[in-house]
Amino acid sequence: MAIRVMLVDDQVLLRTGFRMVLAAQPDMEVVAEAGDGAAAIEILRSTAVDVVLMDVRMPRLDGVEATRRICAQTDPPKVLILTTFDLDEYAFSGLKAGASGFMLKDVPPGELLSAIRSVHSGDAVVAPSTTRRLLDRFSPMLPSTTQEPQNKHVGKLTEREREVMLLVAQGLSNGEIAGRLVLSEATVKTHVGRILTKLALRDRVQVVVLAYETGLVRAGGGAG
């Protein structure tokens, strides 16, 4: 079954370009388009979508708030933030709102297609190390959404799960974590899955964000 994609951007030419790239793929189908976040939310009420390519700066309802509302729904589509600037605070607000990652609008077509497939399969498309580096810069500027229940969820982790979480938050891959802790990569993957389930997080990027918000990792990459 083809990956059902929605394009959300206020620039018609950009949507047209993305649609042409996706239409050439046998495993993808553009099922909807919207010029702003409000229109996207309305369309999603009647259209089944797997992945949303979401611009951040749009009229009426921006991509960050639209992402927050979409990700709060039951069984929502995955959201991939598209941004013009590599260091864009709006993109990070989007990650905090529940997006599975972000990419630049001028990304090569092959990378965009790979990102859509990765997001659809449940992976994050932003390397945690990249997310951490950028959060180091923007975390002091972003409003914290830390709440006591989040800290309590972290407290439910086993000692090993907490150890794995810290390494994920520091940007290590499953293979690197396995080498650091002398575990099999499959075991690390199992631990990561349990961490995501216990903390009600969607992917590794959200682990990194939560680690910052709860103080487990501080700006600069050190453990709290």
Side-chain angles (χ1 to χ4, degrees), residues 16-215:
T16 300
F18 285 137
R19 185 173 65 247
M20 291 176 62
V21 171
L22 301 184
Q25 305 303 307
D27 62 338
M28 295 184 191
E29 177 185 6
V30 176
V31 296
E33 296 184 32
D36 60 68
I41 291 172
E42 183 64 30
I43 290 171
L44 284 172
R45 291 174 179 163
S46 58
T47 304
V49 175
D50 298 311
V51 177
V52 177
L53 296 186
M54 180 75 74
D55 186 24
V56 286
R57 303 181 185 187
M58 296 180 292
R60 288 216 298 169
L61 188 69
D62 66 39
V64 173
E65 181 58 29
T67 295
R68 183 176 293 108
R69 296 184 190 182
I70 290 171
C71 291
Q73 298 174 359
T74 301
D75 193 25
K78 302 296 177 62
V79 178
L80 179 59
I81 295 286
L82 296 173
T83 178
T84 305
F85 305 102
D86 189 14
L87 297 178
D88 189 334
E89 65 272 22
Y90 291 100
F92 294 103
S93 295
L95 292 179
K96 293 179 70 175
S100 294
F102 74 91
M103 300 200 77
L104 299 181
K105 285 187 176 180
D106 61 357
V107 62
E111 290 185 22
L112 175 63
L113 297 172
S114 177
I116 293 172
R117 293 185 181 104
S118 295
V119 164
H120 182 249
S121 69
D123 293 331
V125 300
V126 183
S129 56
T130 302
T131 305
R132 191 195 68 185
R133 172 177 59 83
L134 297 174
L135 276 171
D136 281 346
R137 173 167 176 172
F138 284 108
S139 57
M141 307 177 196
L142 297 177
S144 175
T145 59
T146 302
Q147 298 175 346
E148 188 62 25
Q150 288 182 314
N151 287 291
K152 288 181 179 178
H153 286 318
V154 172
K156 294 178 181 179
L157 299 179
T158 66
E159 184 177 347
R160 177 63 85 186
E161 288 166 352
R162 184 183 174 94
E163 196 172 11
V164 171
M165 179 184 178
L166 287 173
L167 294 177
V168 168
Q170 291 173 36
L172 275 66
S173 67
N174 286 353
E176 291 169 335
I177 294 172
R180 181 78 64 87
L181 301 180
V182 194
L183 299 170
S184 71
E185 194 164 342
T187 298
V188 172
K189 185 175 182 180
T190 297
H191 283 310
V192 172
R194 289 174 179 166
I195 291 166
L196 294 178
T197 298
K198 287 185 177 182
L199 302 182
L201 301 176
R202 299 183 67 183
D203 52 46
R204 298 169 75 97
V205 169
Q206 295 297 301
V207 172
V208 179
V209 173
L210 180 61
Y212 269 79
E213 292 183 331
T214 57

